[in-house]
Amino acid sequence: MALNFELVTPEKLLRSEEVHMVVVPGSEGDFGVLERHAPVMSTIRDGAIQIYATPGATPEMIKVEGGFAEVNDKGLTILAEKVVDED
Amino acid sequence: MASLKELKDRISSVKSTQKITKAKQMVAAAKLRKAQAAAEAARPYAERLETVMSSLASGVSISKDTPKLLAGTGKNQKHLLVVATSDRGLCGAFNANIVKEARIHADKLKAEGKDVEFYLVGKKGKPVINRVYPGSIRHHFDTSEIKNPEYDDAKEIAEDLVARLEKGDFDVAWLFYSKFKSALVQEPQTQQIIPVPVDENADANSKVAVEYEPDEEEILSELLPRNLSIQLFRALLENSASEQGASMTAMDNATRNAGDLIEKLTIIYNRSRQAAITTELVEIISGAEAL
């Protein structure tokens, strides 16, 4: 059970991996995306994406500024305008 | 026949030219790798945005409230040609090719009775366009301070373009740049950027019910300017890779030509030197025989 997660910035493809869950800071509230999530398209506000590699794991945080999240049958794609010191 | 001294000077001058072209070639080769990597790294974003755009745009019906970036101004009279060139020379026909593409397009539009204006990015296109279409340059975006194009630069251009669109400065915008295929091949591109061309065939596979958050219109109004910046950003990156590629090829040729020229001149130099020595010897010998 894994969610295909991609994080892309204008400069490059930052992440492309299988994870358990990603919590996206949507402009109308955070939402968690698991595998087989219904298709959604949402703008995101400045905030941190939380990536859970496995259930119950400590989430990895990536701060992003502005962008889009798209969920389709292939997985979650986040098009972030900017990523603040990714590590 | 040129004197020995003249020949010698010629040779040394060609040699120093060769040094310059060789240095420029090596610099271009090093920069090319970087520029190419940047252009390739930016592709995933542009591609993904494109899919999102087309699935979104095909689902939205065009009404009065549709953003101008998608629907256009409703007119088709004033065309703005955004021509992206480089700031430096020594890159062969790179800039000339882009400008030529833009001129062909401009002439076509003029023949149809449209108004054509130019928006230049980079300074190398300016002299030619100013000469052929005097007074039609609307704005010149200076990129001479920019070493590697960044997203923020593209965004700045995009915001400027949107502001001009809102003011009614133009109805349709075209973008001209050079697409990087390889170090040897760069293709000048013509692309309509405003309004966004909607792919008619795209809606076939976008039947999935997608939830929009906030609503479609708001997403669209945020996505459209971003799409524009991305297109421009991509153009800038492709351009810088193309410039280095063209420069490398041109300088490689120039270096080789200089080498050929040096060889030729050296042969002439040696021959005339030999001839001079022979004449001198003949003179001495015949002088000695006369005694």
Side-chain angles (χ1 to χ4, degrees):
Chain A
M1 184 170 117
L3 169 76
N4 201 342
F5 167 64
E6 279 184 347
L7 177 61
V8 202
T9 66
E11 275 88 15
K12 61 181 181 191
L13 176 67
L14 219 54
R15 289 289 172 93
S16 180
E17 59 194 6
E18 305 238 303
V19 295
H20 170 64
M21 178 173 84
V22 177
V23 176
V24 184
S27 50
E28 306 213 318
D30 290 11
F31 58 93
V33 181
L34 284 148
E35 195 198 14
R36 297 177 60 191
H37 191 283
V40 168
M41 196 178 289
S42 171
T43 52
I44 54 181
R45 57 167 212 276
D46 299 355
I49 305 171
Q50 297 169 36
I51 305 164
Y52 293 80
T54 50
T58 324
E60 182 189 351
M61 313 279 268
I62 298 179
K63 271 194 191 156
V64 294
E65 278 176 18
F68 281 88
E70 194 204 9
V71 183
N72 57 24
D73 48 357
K74 285 184 214 98
L76 167 68
T77 307
I78 293 182
L79 301 175
E81 185 129 308
K82 223 176 222 165
V83 167
V84 188
D85 45 59
E86 189 260 336
D87 49 17
Chain B
M1 166 136 324
S3 76
L4 283 180
K5 171 100 176 83
E6 270 168 44
L7 277 171
K8 213 171 183 177
D9 288 348
R10 258 316 275 295
I11 292 172
S12 74
S13 114
V14 175
K15 266 188 185 155
S16 58
T17 309
Q18 191 190 28
K19 260 181 211 154
I20 295 171
T21 58
K22 200 165 194 176
K24 174 76 183 147
Q25 183 209 341
M26 277 172 348
V27 170
K31 280 190 179 165
L32 170 67
R33 215 158 301 147
K34 224 168 134 194
Q36 194 180 350
E40 271 161 16
R43 270 180 200 157
Y45 191 95
E47 277 162 18
R48 290 201 176 61
L49 194 63
E50 220 161 87
T51 31
V52 174
M53 267 308 294
S54 62
S55 70
L56 202 61
S58 61
V60 173
S61 54
I62 296 202
S63 67
K64 256 191 236 147
D65 308 322
T66 318
K68 278 184 184 166
L69 279 174
L70 179 65
T73 52
K75 283 177 290 181
N76 186 19
Q77 183 56 35
K78 283 184 263 179
H79 287 246
L80 186 74
L81 271 51
V82 183
V83 184
T85 55
S86 73
D87 284 307
R88 281 154 205 245
L90 290 186
C91 47
F94 169 73
N95 290 310
N97 283 341
I98 298 174
V99 172
K100 195 167 84 191
E101 185 87 5
R103 277 178 59 184
I104 292 170
H105 200 77
D107 289 340
K108 203 178 88 194
L109 287 171
K110 283 208 163 166
E112 288 168 15
K114 316 275 192 220
D115 303 332
V116 176
E117 275 172 342
F118 291 90
Y119 185 103
L120 301 183
V121 180
K123 69 179 180 198
K124 276 287 167 186
K126 203 172 181 180
V128 185
I129 288 175
N130 214 2
R131 197 176 62 233
V132 185
Y133 310 101
S136 61
I137 295 180
R138 255 307 158 105
H139 184 74
H140 171 219
F141 187 86
D142 189 18
T143 52
S144 54
E145 299 296 309
I146 299 166
K147 270 196 188 138
N148 298 310
E150 276 178 27
Y151 181 61
D152 288 341
D153 305 322
K155 209 169 151 186
E156 208 177 304
I157 302 174
E159 276 163 9
D160 192 19
L161 284 177
V162 172
R164 279 161 201 273
L165 178 71
E166 294 296 333
K167 265 198 296 176
D169 274 3
F170 63 90
D171 302 316
V172 183
W174 300 84
L175 176 63
F176 295 89
Y177 66 100
S178 183
K179 191 173 185 178
F180 180 80
K181 287 220 147 164
S182 72
L184 287 169
V185 186
Q186 300 88 31
E187 265 181 11
Q189 297 281 316
T190 312
Q191 190 190 357
Q192 186 181 334
I193 45 171
I194 301 171
V196 177
V198 179
D199 189 1
E200 306 279 325
N201 313 321
D203 55 359
N205 49 8
S206 63
K207 290 277 181 264
V208 207
V210 179
E211 229 176 281
Y212 293 100
E213 206 178 301
D215 54 26
E216 280 177 336
E217 247 112 81
E218 243 171 275
I219 290 194
L220 206 55
S221 64
E222 216 192 290
L223 200 126
L224 284 163
R226 187 159 303 161
N227 183 47
L228 183 63
S229 329
I230 283 296
Q231 299 296 344
L232 287 164
F233 182 53
R234 181 156 76 163
L236 290 182
L237 287 175
E238 295 274 351
N239 241 4
S240 76
S242 300
E243 180 197 345
Q244 300 306 340
S247 170
M248 199 177 89
T249 324
M251 287 305 111
D252 187 38
N253 277 336
T255 311
R256 210 168 305 142
N257 286 345
D260 290 348
L261 195 56
I262 289 172
E263 217 164 88
K264 246 188 244 163
L265 286 172
T266 315
I267 289 174
I268 297 176
Y269 174 78
N270 287 344
R271 278 212 188 119
S272 30
R273 189 172 139 267
Q274 188 67 58
I277 292 170
T278 314
T279 336
E280 219 168 280
L281 274 178
V282 170
E283 271 165 17
I284 293 170
I285 292 167
S286 47
E289 267 174 10
L291 280 179

